[in-house]
Amino acid sequence: MELTQRQEDILQAAISLIAREGFRHFTVKNMAKELKTSESELYRHFSGKEQVIEAILNYFDDLSDLILVEIEEAELEPLEKVHRFILDRYQLFSVQNELTMAMFSVEMHYYDHGSGQRMSWIVAKHRNFIVSCLKEAQAQGLIDPSHDPMQLFRILIGSTRFLIAQWNACGQEFDLVEEGEKLLHSIWNLIIVADED
């Protein structure tokens, strides 16, 4: 669904509202207040808050697809692909910090079955990409083949999510991209096979 400019405005207002007030306060009424308009005007652009949530998830998925296409076109080595994708997450969320809080809203995915399923599908796409890259790196002798690629994925993404959550919890007072680079460097040091030369 291609959004009109007004729909994009509503989408950004919804992201801000969820980030600031939490999913419990995410209603059409509160969105109307946020945009200083009427509920009926919002219903002309979206059928309800469920369709707005779907648009937020599509927006996030589209941003993810952009970097995945860019990575594939660059023909990078497998570990560089993973590095580039995760670094892009840090860069994206450091610029669009409200999107971070909206996407990591457990309430949104727990209480809204449709958004929970959609988010699971997005995560599965990211997981398949990263696990595929890790398996390729193992085949090239870059990562010890005794490591389970799924567990490595959980280490990479789990630590990424924790760092982003920590960044949000402390008022975004440190450089997320810089700390993300350090974290990735530490993980690579743990899992990459040392060059014996």
Side-chain angles (χ1 to χ4, degrees), residues 72 78 81-82 126-138 149:
E72 289 304 328
K81 288 179 182 180
V82 175
H126 297 173
R127 181 193 64 225
N128 293 342
F129 168 74
I130 291 173
V131 167
S132 174
C133 291
L134 294 171
K135 286 180 178 177
E136 188 181 346
Q138 285 179 318

Side-chain angles (χ1 to χ4, degrees), residues 7 23 27-28 34 41 43 58 64 74 88 114 126 128 163-164 170 184 192-193:
Q7 286 175 317
F23 185 69
T27 63
V28 173
E34 183 85 6
E41 198 269 333
Y43 281 117
N58 287 341
S64 298
D88 179 77
H126 297 173
N128 293 342
L163 181 60
I164 292 170
C170 72
L184 273 172
I192 292 176
V193 173

Side-chain angles (χ1 to χ4, degrees), residues 11-72:
L11 177 93
Q12 292 303 324
I15 290 170
S16 295
L17 182 62
I18 294 168
R20 195 177 62 252
E21 304 289 338
F23 185 69
R24 286 174 300 172
H25 298 283
F26 178 58
T27 63
V28 173
K29 181 178 182 177
N30 287 338
M31 273 195 295
K33 284 182 187 175
E34 183 85 6
L35 287 158
K36 297 179 175 57
T37 189
S38 66
E39 293 178 51
S40 60
E41 198 269 333
L42 292 183
Y43 281 117
R44 284 198 289 273
H45 300 283
F46 288 100
S47 61
K49 77 174 193 176
E50 293 78 14
Q51 193 178 29
V52 176
I53 292 168
E54 181 183 349
I56 292 171
L57 292 168
N58 287 341
Y59 173 68
F60 178 68
D61 191 29
D62 289 346
L63 291 174
S64 298
D65 284 346
L66 287 174
I67 188 61
L68 290 174
V69 169
E70 181 183 307
I71 288 168
E72 289 304 328

Side-chain angles (χ1 to χ4, degrees), residues 15 18-19 22-23 56-57 60 89-90 92-94 96-110 119 123 126 157-169 176:
I15 290 170
I18 294 168
F23 185 69
I56 292 171
L57 292 168
F60 178 68
R89 304 293 84 188
Y90 290 127
L92 170 66
F93 289 138
S94 67
Q96 296 195 37
N97 54 1
E98 290 182 331
L99 179 62
T100 313
M101 290 182 269
M103 293 311 301
F104 289 173
S105 170
V106 175
E107 294 173 311
M108 180 167 80
H109 308 306
Y110 182 78
M119 191 64 185
V123 169
H126 297 173
I157 298 305
S159 61
T160 299
R161 288 181 64 97
F162 178 79
L163 181 60
I164 292 170
Q166 186 183 40
W167 177 69
N168 278 322
L176 180 61

Side-chain angles (χ1 to χ4, degrees), residues 78-79 82 130-149 152-153 156 187-188 190-194:
L79 291 181
V82 175
I130 291 173
V131 167
S132 174
C133 291
L134 294 171
K135 286 180 178 177
E136 188 181 346
Q138 285 179 318
Q140 293 178 10
L142 300 172
I143 297 177
D144 186 331
S146 68
H147 291 310
D148 180 344
L152 293 179
F153 164 77
L156 286 161
I187 293 171
W188 293 147
L190 292 170
I191 69 172
I192 292 176
V193 173

